[in-house]
Amino acid sequence: MPSDRGAPEARSVNRPAKGTGGPLEGVKVVDLTTVVVGPICTRTLADQGAEVVKVEAPGGDILRYLAAGSRTPAMSGKFINFNRNKRSIVLDIKQPEGLAALKRLIAAADVFVSNVRPAALARAGLDHASLAPLNPRLIHCGIVAFGTDGRYANRPAYDPIIQSLSGVAGTFDRAIGEPRFVPMVMTDHITGLVSAQAIGFALYRREKTGVGEAIEVPMFETMASFVTSEHLGAATFDPPEGPTGDARLLSADYRPLPTLDGYITVRPNDNRQSFAFFDAIGRPELKEDPRFSTPIRRTENAADYFTVQVEALATKTTATWLEIFAKADVPAAGYNTIDDLLEDPHLQDVGFWNFDEHPTEGRIRRTRTPVTFRGGMREQVLPAPRLGAQTREILAEAGYDAVQIDAMLATGAAQ
Amino acid sequence: MPSDRGAPEARSVNRPAKGTGGPLEGVKVVDLTTVVVGPICTRTLADQGAEVVKVEAPGGDILRYLAAGSRTPAMSGKFINFNRNKRSIVLDIKQPEGLAALKRLIAAADVFVSNVRPAALARAGLDHASLAPLNPRLIHCGIVAFGTDGRYANRPAYDPIIQSLSGVAGTFDRAIGEPRFVPMVMTDHITGLVSAQAIGFALYRREKTGVGEAIEVPMFETMASFVTSEHLGAATFDPPEGPTGDARLLSADYRPLPTLDGYITVRPNDNRQSFAFFDAIGRPELKEDPRFSTPIRRTENAADYFTVQVEALATKTTATWLEIFAKADVPAAGYNTIDDLLEDPHLQDVGFWNFDEHPTEGRIRRTRTPVTFRGGMREQVLPAPRLGAQTREILAEAGYDAVQIDAMLATGAAQ
């Protein structure tokens, strides 16, 4: 038994009540994923009512360890945030009994999510073709770095590799003269959300057809689609009608602009807002300027429009401008740091921040599910599980008796 | 009739065949959205087989105009990319007959998507409470800037405002000392994908319950959840165990690193990859260095680890490094510009780029849906519609006869 599994009294807290509430109530998910791309997919399903069993290898999801500031080993804040509402079982699938147990879980599940390379999955008999005979209603969602039909299929990839290949880093090169990453694991995160979306669509279809299927969600293609939907631009036409890219978004000045004491984001969009903006900065004559008289003209003359904004905004403080633009009904905002979000009054109003007593980690801060379903939301919140916290109960639910479970724990096939 | 509606022979090309294929085959969507956040939601539904009717106000979605390089008016590349597989009807809902026609469409739909401010929607009788009696099975997805329960509820917002308020711009301040935007309409785009996800979940539940519901997807809360899931870090604990933020992602050096002639992204993650990296850069002694001997230690000493990388990578060209790292099986990549993606060999392999003959815009480039459903994909691709291209046929399907349609076209209630 790993020493960081938690005290015995903390091992059964994550069993879902009958009926979780939420649109995915009753959906059983077996989750063989790690780090972010898979865990945000299955957290989304779990937040919306699915019963998610997180299957971990001995040692556990590496995200358990990848962050500073934990209270106990293997329970990083980042892990907690991406793994609430799940239960954890540790199986060593290199042992036949461990692999057999995983297959038994999958045989009784609605959804199986993996972010294992397809070749390795097939070797273990965990590809959809091998699993479908065990469970014809199974929906398998395979999250992969690159689509299996292309030449990069077997390359390893992590978020920064995909940010580089998919054009995300390249958009910064266009904007500021050097490639950069978005300081989040953005491509993992988005691909995980898209995977949860695809699973929802497949669950809907299965209600009609009665049979399951395999879904493949490749990170590279998903992000290449994301980037080019925005930035194909005039190259949508063949031959191109002009350069790729949305010039307005790729401007070096497309950013919060400096004021006397900080920064401000101003976004006058339609004519009313733009003309109110020109009045507010004391340049009413620009309302008549042919460069700025319509949305299309302002887009065509984006560089000049930015220059007007840059020059004007530098002359007063952020607070003064916010007051002026509020009165003029021009969309404007300062920017929030991560810490500011903890105190944001709107987020307080909507109950965005909740505080739970985690059975082993103490008081923790938890975000509310941002999407609201009037037809009913998940009611019971389960704490992010310690490694293997529900190994015994999940095996018992799968039909193993106490003697069998003890034997698996003794060999380490289950932990 | 607007002059940019297209020739009559181009007006009926978008009628879907019986059975689109795809997991959402048979789902009827009425789409009262504009720009990006709504259109990417409904494009996602359409790509997966839903029948989407795009309802436009006279003049049409402003995205039709917001880009350089169109071949004909009101058909920008960006509009085309976000609006394939949809049909367009123009209704003036300020006229009673126009509003009545919209309600008739909604009465026969499965899903109604809006990104109109809630107060305006309620005034027009288009909120879920007003619509449910007309269509108890209706799923209404209201995409809003801010949740209706909070104090910002009625503020206008565009993508840069949400990037500023949700902490996206703030992550750059932490990383590079000044706030910036991601050069995409990232928060619109992500919120739209999450909206499509939520609609899928609601469609699944409706199969069980038989009744529709209302969903609210607020951009600010959705993105605050996105940012803080990644960056709450040690502030997940209350009181905090340390500062917010994932320090590794917020490092100024978390970016493609300069080589002799360009940039490279290297991502040695586990021990094998990291030790192979140390060998490859000619510093095998670092394998024994206690700062770098495990993933946790490398995370804790991220700044030193970046320094090692920065110093080494500057000494050779990108091509030389890529060759070295490929041999050593260390994940590495150059970065692609938007233009590079058009020629990427893997994307060619998987058929990412398709070329269609648009009935009025000529030959256009189209991305493949990145997600693959083994159970069947949408087969027929519909070209992005010209403004009001299917007004007449959609009204006829809704039960209006030719005389009534002519009358509506004469008054401008339909266009």
Side-chain angles (χ1 to χ4, degrees), chain A residues 78 173 238 246 335 363, chain B residues 78 164 173 238 246 335 363:
Chain A
K78 199 154 182 169
D173 193 17
D238 185 58
D246 182 327
Y335 74 94
R363 187 172 153 91
Chain B
K78 199 154 183 170
S164 300
D173 193 18
D238 185 58
D246 182 327
Y335 75 94
R363 187 172 153 91

Side-chain angles (χ1 to χ4, degrees), chain A residues 44-173:
Chain A
T44 303
L45 303 176
D47 280 354
Q48 300 305 348
E51 293 173 30
V52 175
V53 169
K54 182 177 180 75
V55 179
E56 297 186 77
D61 184 347
I62 195 172
L63 193 65
R64 290 182 172 278
Y65 308 97
L66 287 182
S70 305
R71 281 186 175 153
T72 71
M75 291 297 282
S76 72
K78 199 154 182 169
F79 176 82
I80 290 172
N81 292 327
F82 281 108
N83 290 282
R84 67 188 179 208
N85 287 329
K86 303 176 189 174
R87 296 188 296 162
S88 167
I89 179 173
V90 175
L91 294 175
D92 180 358
I93 66 173
K94 290 176 185 155
Q95 297 191 39
E97 296 79 8
L99 183 59
L102 174 56
K103 287 187 180 166
R104 204 193 275 197
L105 295 178
I106 294 171
D110 297 287
V111 177
F112 171 48
V113 187
S114 63
N115 66 342
V116 179
R117 288 200 229 179
L121 213 59
R123 275 199 303 278
L126 294 171
D127 56 314
H128 188 255
S130 306
L131 294 172
L134 297 181
N135 181 354
R137 287 175 57 82
L138 183 71
I139 293 165
H140 173 222
C141 180
I143 307 173
V144 296
F146 303 100
T148 45
D149 293 341
R151 71 190 66 187
Y152 304 165
N154 290 309
R155 290 195 194 174
Y158 302 104
D159 180 78
I161 301 283
I162 301 297
Q163 288 206 37
S164 300
L165 291 176
S166 67
V168 173
T171 61
F172 286 93
D173 193 17

Side-chain angles (χ1 to χ4, degrees), chain A residues 71 78 151 164-165 173 183 185 189 213-214 230-231 236 238 241 246 265 335-336 349 363 365 374-375, chain B residues 71 78 151 164-165 173 183 185 189 213-214 230-231 236 238 241 246 265 335-336 349 363 365 375:
Chain A
R71 281 186 175 153
K78 199 154 182 169
R151 71 190 66 187
S164 300
L165 291 176
D173 193 17
V185 289
H189 205 144
E213 67 167 307
E230 299 214 19
H231 282 304
T236 301
D238 185 58
E241 292 290 321
D246 182 327
T265 299
Y335 74 94
N336 282 324
D349 291 345
R363 187 172 153 91
R365 179 187 283 271
R374 205 83 65 87
Chain B
R71 281 184 175 154
K78 199 154 183 170
R151 69 190 66 187
S164 300
L165 291 177
D173 193 18
V185 289
H189 205 144
E213 66 167 306
E230 299 214 18
H231 282 304
T236 301
D238 185 58
E241 292 289 321
D246 182 327
T265 298
Y335 75 94
N336 282 324
D349 291 344
R363 187 172 153 91
R365 179 187 282 271

Side-chain angles (χ1 to χ4, degrees), chain B residues 17-45:
Chain B
K18 296 284 174 213
T20 54
L24 300 186
E25 176 174 314
V27 175
K28 290 181 188 210
V29 179
V30 173
D31 174 10
L32 190 69
T33 73
T34 56
V35 195
V36 169
V37 66
I40 188 59
C41 166
T42 54
R43 186 194 88 182
T44 303
L45 303 176

Side-chain angles (χ1 to χ4, degrees), chain A residues 22-23 27 43-44 65-66 69 71 75 77-78 80-82 146-147 150-152 158 160-161 164-167 171-173 176 178-185 189 193-194 196-198 201 203-205 207-208 213-216 218 220-222 225-226 228-233 236-239 241 244 246 249 252 254-256 263 265 267 269 273 296 299 331-332 334-336 338-339 341-342 344-347 349-350 352 363-365 367 370-376, chain B residues 22-23 27 43-44 65-66 69 71 75 77-78 81-82 146-147 150-152 158 160-161 164-167 171-173 176 178-185 189 193-194 196-198 201 203-205 207-208 213-216 218 220-222 225-226 228-233 236-239 241 244 246 249 252 254-256 263 265 267 269 273 296 299 331-332 334-336 338-339 341-342 344-347 349-350 352 363-365 367 370-376:
Chain A
V27 175
R43 186 194 88 180
T44 303
Y65 308 97
L66 287 182
R71 281 186 175 153
M75 291 297 282
K78 199 154 182 169
I80 290 172
N81 292 327
F82 281 108
F146 303 100
R151 71 190 66 187
Y152 304 165
Y158 302 104
I161 301 283
S164 300
L165 291 176
S166 67
T171 61
F172 286 93
D173 193 17
I176 60 173
E178 62 168 26
R180 283 208 71 87
F181 303 140
V182 176
M184 293 186 269
V185 289
H189 205 144
L193 292 172
V194 167
Q197 176 197 84
F201 295 168
L203 282 166
Y204 169 74
R205 174 155 63 183
E207 292 299 303
K208 308 281 191 191
E213 67 167 307
I215 309 167
E216 182 173 285
F220 176 47
E221 287 89 329
T222 297
S225 174
F226 191 101
T228 59
S229 291
E230 299 214 19
H231 282 304
L232 202 51
T236 301
F237 304 96
D238 185 58
E241 292 290 321
T244 58
D246 182 327
L249 304 178
Y254 185 70
R255 60 185 173 111
Y263 293 89
T265 299
R267 192 79 190 93
N269 214 37
Q273 292 163 352
I296 302 168
T299 299
Y335 74 94
N336 282 324
I338 300 163
D339 292 276
L341 291 174
L342 308 189
D344 183 87
H346 176 89
L347 293 181
D349 291 345
V350 300
F352 186 77
R363 187 172 153 91
I364 61 164
R365 179 187 283 271
T367 59
V371 178
T372 310
F373 289 82
R374 205 83 65 87
Chain B
V27 175
R43 186 194 88 182
T44 303
Y65 309 96
L66 287 182
R71 281 184 175 154
M75 291 296 281
K78 199 154 183 170
N81 292 326
F82 282 108
F146 303 98
R151 69 190 66 187
Y152 304 165
Y158 301 105
I161 301 282
S164 300
L165 291 177
S166 68
T171 62
F172 286 92
D173 193 18
I176 60 173
E178 62 168 27
R180 283 209 70 86
F181 304 141
V182 176
M184 293 186 270
V185 289
H189 205 144
L193 292 172
V194 167
Q197 175 196 84
F201 296 168
L203 282 166
Y204 169 74
R205 174 155 63 183
E207 292 299 303
K208 307 282 191 189
E213 66 167 306
I215 307 166
E216 181 173 285
F220 176 46
E221 287 90 329
T222 297
S225 174
F226 191 101
T228 59
S229 291
E230 299 214 18
H231 282 304
L232 202 51
T236 301
F237 304 97
D238 185 58
E241 292 289 321
T244 60
D246 182 327
L249 304 177
Y254 186 69
R255 61 185 172 109
Y263 293 89
T265 298
R267 190 80 190 97
N269 214 35
Q273 292 163 351
I296 301 168
T299 300
Y335 75 94
N336 282 324
I338 299 162
D339 292 274
L341 292 174
L342 308 189
D344 183 86
H346 176 87
L347 294 181
D349 291 344
V350 301
F352 186 77
R363 187 172 153 91
I364 61 165
R365 179 187 282 271
T367 59
V371 178
T372 311
F373 290 82
R374 205 82 65 86

